[in-house]
Amino acid sequence: MACYLLLNGPNLNMLGIREPGVYGSESLAAIEARLVQKAQDMGVQLETFQSNHEGAIIDRIHGAYGKCDGILINPGALTHYSYALRDAISTVSIPTVEVHMSNIHKREEFRHVSVTAPVVVGQIAGFGSLSYELGLIALHRHVSPHAAAGPSEA
């Protein structure tokens, strides 16, 4: 069974509380539960991890080497300045899809740049928590091009 890793960066543990006008009212736990179920429907295992610490996220990326077939990541603010995170993604060469709940290109100027985007397969932004599901489908299609994304996909 294929294995994917869902990583969430700083402050995403506060989803549902943090700026609901931007990020909605759904908690990270609810998003993760939905994604784990969707992954099971696709026939893959999804591991989840969130940390407010850059090094812990990098350690999980390194730990995925040789174990995981793909990574789905919402780096949070690390998107805009973490060259260490960028290097970790590049180093392991695991297909990675970057997701953002808000459209980072319509927000403050400093959010327009993603230092991680050049080393990922693609980026999905601006669809709220649906960005995670779209990212999972895109990752799965990239890793297993002949696989269906699951029974709920029309």
Side-chain angles (χ1 to χ4, degrees):
M1 176 181 283
C3 173
Y4 301 150
L5 176 60
L6 170 60
L7 295 173
N8 280 284
N11 298 311
L12 292 165
N13 58 306
M14 299 303 287
L15 288 176
I17 298 167
R18 178 186 178 206
E19 298 181 76
V22 174
Y23 300 105
S25 59
E26 192 172 16
S27 70
L28 180 59
I31 293 168
E32 288 176 337
R34 192 172 69 250
L35 266 282
V36 166
Q37 182 59 56
K38 180 129 184 100
Q40 286 176 348
D41 293 345
M42 295 175 175
V44 299
Q45 176 186 356
L46 182 67
E47 298 176 15
T48 66
F49 181 74
Q50 186 279 329
S51 181
N52 294 318
H53 305 281
E54 180 180 37
I57 296 167
I58 291 168
D59 287 343
R60 283 307 285 255
I61 292 169
H62 291 173
Y65 181 75
K67 296 178 184 166
C68 291
D69 302 293
I71 297 173
L72 184 63
I73 187 168
N74 183 341
L78 297 173
T79 303
H80 314 295
Y81 65 86
S82 180
Y83 293 102
L85 182 61
R86 180 195 191 283
D87 289 348
I89 293 167
S90 179
T91 296
V92 297
S93 298
I94 299 170
T96 301
V97 172
E98 180 179 321
V99 299
H100 299 283
M101 295 176 72
S102 66
N103 184 343
I104 62 174
H105 306 287
K106 289 180 76 173
R107 298 190 62 198
E108 303 92 336
E109 190 172 332
F110 76 89
R111 296 186 197 274
H112 296 184
V113 174
S114 168
V115 300
T116 51
V119 297
V120 300
V121 172
Q123 181 187 76
I124 296 172
F127 294 97
S129 64
L130 181 61
S131 293
Y132 285 94
E133 289 183 49
L134 296 171
L136 180 62
I137 291 167
L139 178 62
H140 189 56
R141 290 279 180 94
H142 180 79
V143 171
S144 305
H146 302 294
S152 64
E153 184 184 18

